[in-house]
Amino acid sequence: MRQLALNTHISGRFNIELENLRNSVMAMGGEVEQQLVDTLKAIATNHPGLAEKVILNDLKVNSMESQIDEECLRIIAKRHPTASDLRLIMIISKAITDIERMGDEIERIAKLVTKQKLPADVAIKASMLSIGQQAAAMMRGTFDAFARLDEDAALEVYDQDNSIDSEYKRLLNYTAGEMAHSGEPMEDWLEILWALRSLERIGDRCKNICEYIVSITRGRDVRHMPLENLQQKLDDLSDS
Amino acid sequence: MLKLFEREQLNLAKLPAEQTAIEVRDLNLWFGDKHVLHNITMRIPRHRITALIGQSGCGKSTLISCFNRMNDLIDNSLTEGEIIIDGRNINHKKENLSTLRSNVGMVFQRPNPFPMSIYDNVCYGLRLQGIKQRRLLDDAVEQALIKAVLWDEVKDRLFETATTLSGGQQQRLVIARALALKPSILLLDEPTSALDPLTTLTIEELMADLKKHCTIVIVTHNMQQAARVSDYTAFLHQGELVEYSDSDTLFTLPHKKQTEDYITGRYG
């Protein structure tokens, strides 16, 4: 794997700009990660105040996305980056869209608490929290891998989504069964299903960012490839 | 809301005097019958890099040459309007041109070291000013070469002829020669067009350092260079100032269509 040295340009200001850009993505990621942690806590303790804070804080995440996007545009216009620098900036521009969407998914989950629509079924709530913890761990791993542009770590995190997906499917079947003989309004169940779906989508967004990390380090677009092929392809590249 | 990136956007139209290095008021210039600059009015901020861009013949080199009255050397040139530097209109007929040109240094497209040693090149202007004490000259030469990021490369061969230096070193030497006079303004007319891309980046990095010491005005054909190095950019077309703003805005969201067409290569 080729190491990306961001701070070796002749232009010291370009070094600083790239470093600031990367740090700002980390700051945005940290913000969204905290949003998910707070949301899970709000679900566990049935704390509408904390969930409300998460919903309001999403505006901050949105603003961060706009600012980082604008900075990417500014750097492209002023610095004319090439090769790995250009890939990094383009990928950051894509990654922040995924991070912002994660923020939106979290906001939707938090609304379950503010609307007092948390599942009454203890098993569903426990599984929801379990998926949430896995998504939070995956998010943490993704941002760590991004901070170091660590391809191996990215591949490891990528794999964790399988566990979230299977847990989600199991929970979906269970919830569908409960819905069938529950007297609660259908719209309440739909809210729960949407929240579960949102948790599952966070895992998918993390996967996207892991693919971006590999795109930066390898200079190859590895999206739309199953994990087995991805690993195999990377192994081939390493051998050659 | 949290601000992730700091941006300076001075209001150039209302720049206070203490932040203004050069104020141009209704400047018109003719070479014979040819009206070259039309009613230029602008304020150039202190300790910033301002780039002048535009097509060949748009008047950008003529404008920069007005700032130390180099156009006086051209026959049939006529200048009207005011250029205020340090509170004085430099277009006044009693302006001391020698003092002005010490304070407003200029570097040209092709490095033009004098055929003498590196040391003598740097202290040439100081000697013209009558400074003869060796210690003062030594200090000035060292300081100027350090500021021009050339000291480490030439400190062991100061008395070798300057023409043995590479193109990039020669250009930094010429910058050091201007810096030795401690100018408050440095004018750079296409300073890197004769240099290779990596040497160009070295000179650009030098400019970023030098703005701590002086105000820099650069003329460049290379729009990418203007975008990279400058804090503020002025776009000139046929002797008129079309747009003048911070470079971030000018290169991402220009207000005038003419500017947009020029910077995007749609110029007809």
PDB file of all heavy atoms in Angstrom, chain B residues 81-113:
ATOM      1  N   GLY B  81      -4.195  61.226 -12.439  1.00  0.00           N
ATOM      2  CA  GLY B  81      -4.770  60.527 -11.302  1.00  0.00           C
ATOM      3  C   GLY B  81      -3.743  60.398 -10.196  1.00  0.00           C
ATOM      4  O   GLY B  81      -2.595  60.821 -10.343  1.00  0.00           O
ATOM      5  N   GLU B  82      -4.179  59.810  -9.094  1.00  0.00           N
ATOM      6  CA  GLU B  82      -3.300  59.752  -7.924  1.00  0.00           C
ATOM      7  C   GLU B  82      -2.987  58.317  -7.526  1.00  0.00           C
ATOM      8  O   GLU B  82      -3.835  57.424  -7.665  1.00  0.00           O
ATOM      9  CB  GLU B  82      -3.984  60.442  -6.738  1.00  0.00           C
ATOM     10  CG  GLU B  82      -4.169  61.931  -6.941  1.00  0.00           C
ATOM     11  CD  GLU B  82      -4.787  62.594  -5.715  1.00  0.00           C
ATOM     12  OE1 GLU B  82      -5.469  61.900  -4.929  1.00  0.00           O
ATOM     13  OE2 GLU B  82      -4.590  63.807  -5.570  1.00  0.00           O
ATOM     14  N   ILE B  83      -1.767  58.137  -7.041  1.00  0.00           N
ATOM     15  CA  ILE B  83      -1.392  56.861  -6.418  1.00  0.00           C
ATOM     16  C   ILE B  83      -0.817  57.219  -5.050  1.00  0.00           C
ATOM     17  O   ILE B  83       0.226  57.879  -4.964  1.00  0.00           O
ATOM     18  CB  ILE B  83      -0.359  56.099  -7.269  1.00  0.00           C
ATOM     19  CG1 ILE B  83      -0.968  55.734  -8.636  1.00  0.00           C
ATOM     20  CG2 ILE B  83       0.096  54.832  -6.542  1.00  0.00           C
ATOM     21  CD1 ILE B  83       0.018  55.134  -9.604  1.00  0.00           C
ATOM     22  N   ILE B  84      -1.528  56.820  -4.023  1.00  0.00           N
ATOM     23  CA  ILE B  84      -1.134  57.215  -2.666  1.00  0.00           C
ATOM     24  C   ILE B  84      -0.389  56.048  -2.009  1.00  0.00           C
ATOM     25  O   ILE B  84      -0.934  54.951  -1.866  1.00  0.00           O
ATOM     26  CB  ILE B  84      -2.364  57.566  -1.786  1.00  0.00           C
ATOM     27  CG1 ILE B  84      -3.344  58.473  -2.544  1.00  0.00           C
ATOM     28  CG2 ILE B  84      -1.941  58.156  -0.444  1.00  0.00           C
ATOM     29  CD1 ILE B  84      -2.872  59.855  -2.803  1.00  0.00           C
ATOM     30  N   ILE B  85       0.847  56.313  -1.638  1.00  0.00           N
ATOM     31  CA  ILE B  85       1.632  55.337  -0.874  1.00  0.00           C
ATOM     32  C   ILE B  85       2.178  56.069   0.349  1.00  0.00           C
ATOM     33  O   ILE B  85       2.786  57.136   0.204  1.00  0.00           O
ATOM     34  CB  ILE B  85       2.790  54.754  -1.725  1.00  0.00           C
ATOM     35  CG1 ILE B  85       2.230  53.946  -2.906  1.00  0.00           C
ATOM     36  CG2 ILE B  85       3.703  53.877  -0.870  1.00  0.00           C
ATOM     37  CD1 ILE B  85       3.272  53.403  -3.868  1.00  0.00           C
ATOM     38  N   ASP B  86       1.943  55.490   1.515  1.00  0.00           N
ATOM     39  CA  ASP B  86       2.366  56.116   2.780  1.00  0.00           C
ATOM     40  C   ASP B  86       1.886  57.567   2.873  1.00  0.00           C
ATOM     41  O   ASP B  86       2.630  58.467   3.283  1.00  0.00           O
ATOM     42  CB  ASP B  86       3.903  56.072   2.928  1.00  0.00           C
ATOM     43  CG  ASP B  86       4.409  54.646   3.064  1.00  0.00           C
ATOM     44  OD1 ASP B  86       3.634  53.804   3.555  1.00  0.00           O
ATOM     45  OD2 ASP B  86       5.555  54.380   2.668  1.00  0.00           O
ATOM     46  N   GLY B  87       0.665  57.797   2.443  1.00  0.00           N
ATOM     47  CA  GLY B  87       0.055  59.120   2.593  1.00  0.00           C
ATOM     48  C   GLY B  87       0.487  60.143   1.552  1.00  0.00           C
ATOM     49  O   GLY B  87       0.030  61.288   1.596  1.00  0.00           O
ATOM     50  N   ARG B  88       1.379  59.754   0.623  1.00  0.00           N
ATOM     51  CA  ARG B  88       1.851  60.726  -0.374  1.00  0.00           C
ATOM     52  C   ARG B  88       1.416  60.307  -1.765  1.00  0.00           C
ATOM     53  O   ARG B  88       1.423  59.111  -2.080  1.00  0.00           O
ATOM     54  CB  ARG B  88       3.374  60.812  -0.368  1.00  0.00           C
ATOM     55  CG  ARG B  88       3.964  61.545   0.811  1.00  0.00           C
ATOM     56  CD  ARG B  88       5.426  61.909   0.538  1.00  0.00           C
ATOM     57  NE  ARG B  88       6.100  60.980  -0.344  1.00  0.00           N
ATOM     58  CZ  ARG B  88       6.700  59.864   0.071  1.00  0.00           C
ATOM     59  NH1 ARG B  88       6.676  59.530   1.343  1.00  0.00           N
ATOM     60  NH2 ARG B  88       7.312  59.081  -0.803  1.00  0.00           N
ATOM     61  N   ASN B  89       1.056  61.289  -2.590  1.00  0.00           N
ATOM     62  CA  ASN B  89       0.744  60.989  -3.983  1.00  0.00           C
ATOM     63  C   ASN B  89       2.071  60.867  -4.743  1.00  0.00           C
ATOM     64  O   ASN B  89       2.753  61.864  -4.985  1.00  0.00           O
ATOM     65  CB  ASN B  89      -0.111  62.119  -4.574  1.00  0.00           C
ATOM     66  CG  ASN B  89      -0.381  61.903  -6.055  1.00  0.00           C
ATOM     67  OD1 ASN B  89      -0.193  60.796  -6.579  1.00  0.00           O
ATOM     68  ND2 ASN B  89      -0.806  62.953  -6.739  1.00  0.00           N
ATOM     69  N   ILE B  90       2.413  59.650  -5.146  1.00  0.00           N
ATOM     70  CA  ILE B  90       3.724  59.444  -5.780  1.00  0.00           C
ATOM     71  C   ILE B  90       3.779  60.004  -7.194  1.00  0.00           C
ATOM     72  O   ILE B  90       4.848  60.085  -7.790  1.00  0.00           O
ATOM     73  CB  ILE B  90       4.124  57.947  -5.796  1.00  0.00           C
ATOM     74  CG1 ILE B  90       3.132  57.124  -6.645  1.00  0.00           C
ATOM     75  CG2 ILE B  90       4.264  57.391  -4.390  1.00  0.00           C
ATOM     76  CD1 ILE B  90       3.722  55.823  -7.120  1.00  0.00           C
ATOM     77  N   ASN B  91       2.599  60.386  -7.730  1.00  0.00           N
ATOM     78  CA  ASN B  91       2.607  60.988  -9.069  1.00  0.00           C
ATOM     79  C   ASN B  91       2.946  62.478  -9.037  1.00  0.00           C
ATOM     80  O   ASN B  91       3.025  63.122 -10.077  1.00  0.00           O
ATOM     81  CB  ASN B  91       1.244  60.797  -9.752  1.00  0.00           C
ATOM     82  CG  ASN B  91       1.114  59.390 -10.318  1.00  0.00           C
ATOM     83  OD1 ASN B  91       2.107  58.679 -10.446  1.00  0.00           O
ATOM     84  ND2 ASN B  91      -0.103  58.984 -10.627  1.00  0.00           N
ATOM     85  N   HIS B  92       3.136  62.994  -7.819  1.00  0.00           N
ATOM     86  CA  HIS B  92       3.491  64.414  -7.689  1.00  0.00           C
ATOM     87  C   HIS B  92       4.859  64.645  -8.316  1.00  0.00           C
ATOM     88  O   HIS B  92       5.764  63.823  -8.170  1.00  0.00           O
ATOM     89  CB  HIS B  92       3.516  64.806  -6.206  1.00  0.00           C
ATOM     90  CG  HIS B  92       3.489  66.273  -5.999  1.00  0.00           C
ATOM     91  ND1 HIS B  92       4.631  67.028  -6.081  1.00  0.00           N
ATOM     92  CD2 HIS B  92       2.466  67.130  -5.756  1.00  0.00           C
ATOM     93  CE1 HIS B  92       4.304  68.301  -5.868  1.00  0.00           C
ATOM     94  NE2 HIS B  92       2.990  68.382  -5.681  1.00  0.00           N
ATOM     95  N   LYS B  93       4.996  65.761  -9.029  1.00  0.00           N
ATOM     96  CA  LYS B  93       6.239  65.992  -9.782  1.00  0.00           C
ATOM     97  C   LYS B  93       7.461  66.117  -8.878  1.00  0.00           C
ATOM     98  O   LYS B  93       8.596  65.931  -9.316  1.00  0.00           O
ATOM     99  CB  LYS B  93       6.100  67.215 -10.682  1.00  0.00           C
ATOM    100  CG  LYS B  93       5.798  68.497  -9.957  1.00  0.00           C
ATOM    101  CD  LYS B  93       5.518  69.621 -10.959  1.00  0.00           C
ATOM    102  CE  LYS B  93       5.071  70.856 -10.181  1.00  0.00           C
ATOM    103  NZ  LYS B  93       4.618  71.921 -11.041  1.00  0.00           N
ATOM    104  N   LYS B  94       7.243  66.444  -7.573  1.00  0.00           N
ATOM    105  CA  LYS B  94       8.394  66.591  -6.686  1.00  0.00           C
ATOM    106  C   LYS B  94       8.769  65.292  -5.970  1.00  0.00           C
ATOM    107  O   LYS B  94       9.644  65.292  -5.097  1.00  0.00           O
ATOM    108  CB  LYS B  94       8.096  67.677  -5.635  1.00  0.00           C
ATOM    109  CG  LYS B  94       8.125  69.067  -6.218  1.00  0.00           C
ATOM    110  CD  LYS B  94       7.991  70.123  -5.146  1.00  0.00           C
ATOM    111  CE  LYS B  94       8.055  71.511  -5.791  1.00  0.00           C
ATOM    112  NZ  LYS B  94       7.595  72.552  -4.863  1.00  0.00           N
ATOM    113  N   GLU B  95       8.076  64.212  -6.300  1.00  0.00           N
ATOM    114  CA  GLU B  95       8.381  62.933  -5.655  1.00  0.00           C
ATOM    115  C   GLU B  95       9.830  62.521  -5.947  1.00  0.00           C
ATOM    116  O   GLU B  95      10.271  62.577  -7.107  1.00  0.00           O
ATOM    117  CB  GLU B  95       7.409  61.851  -6.181  1.00  0.00           C
ATOM    118  CG  GLU B  95       7.620  60.469  -5.632  1.00  0.00           C
ATOM    119  CD  GLU B  95       7.265  60.335  -4.148  1.00  0.00           C
ATOM    120  OE1 GLU B  95       6.515  61.182  -3.624  1.00  0.00           O
ATOM    121  OE2 GLU B  95       7.769  59.389  -3.514  1.00  0.00           O
ATOM    122  N   ASN B  96      10.548  62.107  -4.889  1.00  0.00           N
ATOM    123  CA  ASN B  96      11.932  61.652  -5.067  1.00  0.00           C
ATOM    124  C   ASN B  96      11.901  60.201  -5.575  1.00  0.00           C
ATOM    125  O   ASN B  96      11.560  59.281  -4.825  1.00  0.00           O
ATOM    126  CB  ASN B  96      12.668  61.752  -3.723  1.00  0.00           C
ATOM    127  CG  ASN B  96      14.118  61.325  -3.834  1.00  0.00           C
ATOM    128  OD1 ASN B  96      14.461  60.446  -4.629  1.00  0.00           O
ATOM    129  ND2 ASN B  96      14.967  61.956  -3.043  1.00  0.00           N
ATOM    130  N   LEU B  97      12.244  60.027  -6.848  1.00  0.00           N
ATOM    131  CA  LEU B  97      12.088  58.700  -7.461  1.00  0.00           C
ATOM    132  C   LEU B  97      13.057  57.669  -6.886  1.00  0.00           C
ATOM    133  O   LEU B  97      12.734  56.484  -6.809  1.00  0.00           O
ATOM    134  CB  LEU B  97      12.266  58.787  -8.978  1.00  0.00           C
ATOM    135  CG  LEU B  97      11.162  59.558  -9.728  1.00  0.00           C
ATOM    136  CD1 LEU B  97      11.365  59.453 -11.221  1.00  0.00           C
ATOM    137  CD2 LEU B  97       9.782  59.050  -9.348  1.00  0.00           C
ATOM    138  N   SER B  98      14.216  58.121  -6.474  1.00  0.00           N
ATOM    139  CA  SER B  98      15.189  57.194  -5.907  1.00  0.00           C
ATOM    140  C   SER B  98      14.665  56.614  -4.591  1.00  0.00           C
ATOM    141  O   SER B  98      14.713  55.393  -4.357  1.00  0.00           O
ATOM    142  CB  SER B  98      16.503  57.948  -5.705  1.00  0.00           C
ATOM    143  OG  SER B  98      17.395  57.140  -5.021  1.00  0.00           O
ATOM    144  N   THR B  99      14.120  57.480  -3.750  1.00  0.00           N
ATOM    145  CA  THR B  99      13.539  57.021  -2.482  1.00  0.00           C
ATOM    146  C   THR B  99      12.331  56.124  -2.754  1.00  0.00           C
ATOM    147  O   THR B  99      12.160  55.076  -2.131  1.00  0.00           O
ATOM    148  CB  THR B  99      13.081  58.243  -1.630  1.00  0.00           C
ATOM    149  OG1 THR B  99      14.150  59.165  -1.601  1.00  0.00           O
ATOM    150  CG2 THR B  99      12.691  57.837  -0.232  1.00  0.00           C
ATOM    151  N   LEU B 100      11.499  56.560  -3.724  1.00  0.00           N
ATOM    152  CA  LEU B 100      10.304  55.775  -4.058  1.00  0.00           C
ATOM    153  C   LEU B 100      10.690  54.358  -4.486  1.00  0.00           C
ATOM    154  O   LEU B 100      10.118  53.379  -4.014  1.00  0.00           O
ATOM    155  CB  LEU B 100       9.532  56.467  -5.193  1.00  0.00           C
ATOM    156  CG  LEU B 100       8.367  55.659  -5.787  1.00  0.00           C
ATOM    157  CD1 LEU B 100       7.242  55.517  -4.772  1.00  0.00           C
ATOM    158  CD2 LEU B 100       7.837  56.291  -7.074  1.00  0.00           C
ATOM    159  N   ARG B 101      11.705  54.262  -5.350  1.00  0.00           N
ATOM    160  CA  ARG B 101      12.063  52.942  -5.893  1.00  0.00           C
ATOM    161  C   ARG B 101      12.803  52.088  -4.872  1.00  0.00           C
ATOM    162  O   ARG B 101      12.872  50.860  -5.028  1.00  0.00           O
ATOM    163  CB  ARG B 101      12.856  53.103  -7.200  1.00  0.00           C
ATOM    164  CG  ARG B 101      11.917  53.548  -8.324  1.00  0.00           C
ATOM    165  CD  ARG B 101      12.613  53.927  -9.595  1.00  0.00           C
ATOM    166  NE  ARG B 101      11.653  54.568 -10.512  1.00  0.00           N
ATOM    167  CZ  ARG B 101      11.990  55.346 -11.507  1.00  0.00           C
ATOM    168  NH1 ARG B 101      13.275  55.621 -11.736  1.00  0.00           N
ATOM    169  NH2 ARG B 101      11.064  55.869 -12.272  1.00  0.00           N
ATOM    170  N   SER B 102      13.355  52.705  -3.828  1.00  0.00           N
ATOM    171  CA  SER B 102      13.912  51.906  -2.719  1.00  0.00           C
ATOM    172  C   SER B 102      12.773  51.307  -1.910  1.00  0.00           C
ATOM    173  O   SER B 102      12.838  50.176  -1.445  1.00  0.00           O
ATOM    174  CB  SER B 102      14.749  52.784  -1.788  1.00  0.00           C
ATOM    175  OG  SER B 102      15.805  53.331  -2.483  1.00  0.00           O
ATOM    176  N   ASN B 103      11.739  52.115  -1.751  1.00  0.00           N
ATOM    177  CA  ASN B 103      10.604  51.680  -0.932  1.00  0.00           C
ATOM    178  C   ASN B 103       9.680  50.728  -1.687  1.00  0.00           C
ATOM    179  O   ASN B 103       9.020  49.881  -1.082  1.00  0.00           O
ATOM    180  CB  ASN B 103       9.815  52.920  -0.473  1.00  0.00           C
ATOM    181  CG  ASN B 103       8.709  52.562   0.478  1.00  0.00           C
ATOM    182  OD1 ASN B 103       8.883  51.690   1.333  1.00  0.00           O
ATOM    183  ND2 ASN B 103       7.557  53.187   0.333  1.00  0.00           N
ATOM    184  N   VAL B 104       9.637  50.875  -3.006  1.00  0.00           N
ATOM    185  CA  VAL B 104       8.787  50.022  -3.834  1.00  0.00           C
ATOM    186  C   VAL B 104       9.701  49.244  -4.795  1.00  0.00           C
ATOM    187  O   VAL B 104      10.021  49.718  -5.884  1.00  0.00           O
ATOM    188  CB  VAL B 104       7.741  50.861  -4.617  1.00  0.00           C
ATOM    189  CG1 VAL B 104       6.795  49.949  -5.377  1.00  0.00           C
ATOM    190  CG2 VAL B 104       6.970  51.772  -3.685  1.00  0.00           C
ATOM    191  N   GLY B 105      10.145  48.081  -4.363  1.00  0.00           N
ATOM    192  CA  GLY B 105      11.092  47.286  -5.159  1.00  0.00           C
ATOM    193  C   GLY B 105      10.389  46.589  -6.310  1.00  0.00           C
ATOM    194  O   GLY B 105       9.166  46.387  -6.276  1.00  0.00           O
ATOM    195  N   MET B 106      11.147  46.232  -7.323  1.00  0.00           N
ATOM    196  CA  MET B 106      10.533  45.571  -8.473  1.00  0.00           C
ATOM    197  C   MET B 106      11.420  44.436  -8.984  1.00  0.00           C
ATOM    198  O   MET B 106      12.641  44.572  -9.042  1.00  0.00           O
ATOM    199  CB  MET B 106      10.305  46.583  -9.593  1.00  0.00           C
ATOM    200  CG  MET B 106       9.403  46.065 -10.681  1.00  0.00           C
ATOM    201  SD  MET B 106       8.695  47.420 -11.632  1.00  0.00           S
ATOM    202  CE  MET B 106       7.439  46.605 -12.576  1.00  0.00           C
ATOM    203  N   VAL B 107      10.764  43.338  -9.331  1.00  0.00           N
ATOM    204  CA  VAL B 107      11.484  42.179  -9.886  1.00  0.00           C
ATOM    205  C   VAL B 107      10.807  41.828 -11.206  1.00  0.00           C
ATOM    206  O   VAL B 107       9.577  41.813 -11.300  1.00  0.00           O
ATOM    207  CB  VAL B 107      11.420  40.992  -8.895  1.00  0.00           C
ATOM    208  CG1 VAL B 107      11.970  39.729  -9.526  1.00  0.00           C
ATOM    209  CG2 VAL B 107      12.175  41.324  -7.612  1.00  0.00           C
ATOM    210  N   PHE B 108      11.637  41.530 -12.207  1.00  0.00           N
ATOM    211  CA  PHE B 108      11.089  41.328 -13.561  1.00  0.00           C
ATOM    212  C   PHE B 108      11.050  39.847 -13.938  1.00  0.00           C
ATOM    213  O   PHE B 108      11.508  38.978 -13.188  1.00  0.00           O
ATOM    214  CB  PHE B 108      11.907  42.128 -14.566  1.00  0.00           C
ATOM    215  CG  PHE B 108      11.879  43.600 -14.287  1.00  0.00           C
ATOM    216  CD1 PHE B 108      12.868  44.189 -13.509  1.00  0.00           C
ATOM    217  CD2 PHE B 108      10.849  44.398 -14.756  1.00  0.00           C
ATOM    218  CE1 PHE B 108      12.837  45.549 -13.233  1.00  0.00           C
ATOM    219  CE2 PHE B 108      10.812  45.756 -14.484  1.00  0.00           C
ATOM    220  CZ  PHE B 108      11.814  46.329 -13.720  1.00  0.00           C
ATOM    221  N   GLN B 109      10.524  39.638 -15.154  1.00  0.00           N
ATOM    222  CA  GLN B 109      10.322  38.274 -15.646  1.00  0.00           C
ATOM    223  C   GLN B 109      11.620  37.466 -15.695  1.00  0.00           C
ATOM    224  O   GLN B 109      11.704  36.375 -15.161  1.00  0.00           O
ATOM    225  CB  GLN B 109       9.720  38.386 -17.052  1.00  0.00           C
ATOM    226  CG  GLN B 109       9.419  37.070 -17.688  1.00  0.00           C
ATOM    227  CD  GLN B 109       8.682  37.271 -19.013  1.00  0.00           C
ATOM    228  OE1 GLN B 109       8.420  38.400 -19.438  1.00  0.00           O
ATOM    229  NE2 GLN B 109       8.357  36.187 -19.657  1.00  0.00           N
ATOM    230  N   ARG B 110      12.637  38.041 -16.331  1.00  0.00           N
ATOM    231  CA  ARG B 110      13.912  37.325 -16.443  1.00  0.00           C
ATOM    232  C   ARG B 110      14.822  37.784 -15.325  1.00  0.00           C
ATOM    233  O   ARG B 110      14.976  38.988 -15.123  1.00  0.00           O
ATOM    234  CB  ARG B 110      14.579  37.621 -17.796  1.00  0.00           C
ATOM    235  CG  ARG B 110      13.796  37.029 -18.944  1.00  0.00           C
ATOM    236  CD  ARG B 110      14.694  36.646 -20.113  1.00  0.00           C
ATOM    237  NE  ARG B 110      13.952  35.773 -20.999  1.00  0.00           N
ATOM    238  CZ  ARG B 110      13.970  34.447 -20.930  1.00  0.00           C
ATOM    239  NH1 ARG B 110      14.714  33.833 -20.021  1.00  0.00           N
ATOM    240  NH2 ARG B 110      13.273  33.717 -21.769  1.00  0.00           N
ATOM    241  N   PRO B 111      15.438  36.826 -14.609  1.00  0.00           N
ATOM    242  CA  PRO B 111      16.355  37.245 -13.550  1.00  0.00           C
ATOM    243  C   PRO B 111      17.477  38.100 -14.158  1.00  0.00           C
ATOM    244  O   PRO B 111      18.018  37.744 -15.204  1.00  0.00           O
ATOM    245  CB  PRO B 111      16.920  35.923 -13.021  1.00  0.00           C
ATOM    246  CG  PRO B 111      16.114  34.833 -13.618  1.00  0.00           C
ATOM    247  CD  PRO B 111      15.388  35.375 -14.798  1.00  0.00           C
ATOM    248  N   ASN B 112      17.736  39.234 -13.531  1.00  0.00           N
ATOM    249  CA  ASN B 112      18.751  40.128 -14.102  1.00  0.00           C
ATOM    250  C   ASN B 112      19.831  40.480 -13.081  1.00  0.00           C
ATOM    251  O   ASN B 112      19.974  41.639 -12.705  1.00  0.00           O
ATOM    252  CB  ASN B 112      18.099  41.396 -14.658  1.00  0.00           C
ATOM    253  CG  ASN B 112      17.263  42.120 -13.604  1.00  0.00           C
ATOM    254  OD1 ASN B 112      16.979  41.566 -12.541  1.00  0.00           O
ATOM    255  ND2 ASN B 112      16.899  43.349 -13.871  1.00  0.00           N
ATOM    256  N   PRO B 113      20.592  39.452 -12.624  1.00  0.00           N
ATOM    257  CA  PRO B 113      21.679  39.785 -11.696  1.00  0.00           C
ATOM    258  C   PRO B 113      22.746  40.603 -12.429  1.00  0.00           C
ATOM    259  O   PRO B 113      22.942  40.419 -13.636  1.00  0.00           O
ATOM    260  CB  PRO B 113      22.221  38.410 -11.285  1.00  0.00           C
ATOM    261  CG  PRO B 113      21.832  37.489 -12.370  1.00  0.00           C
ATOM    262  CD  PRO B 113      20.580  38.025 -12.976  1.00  0.00           C
TER     263      PRO B 113
END
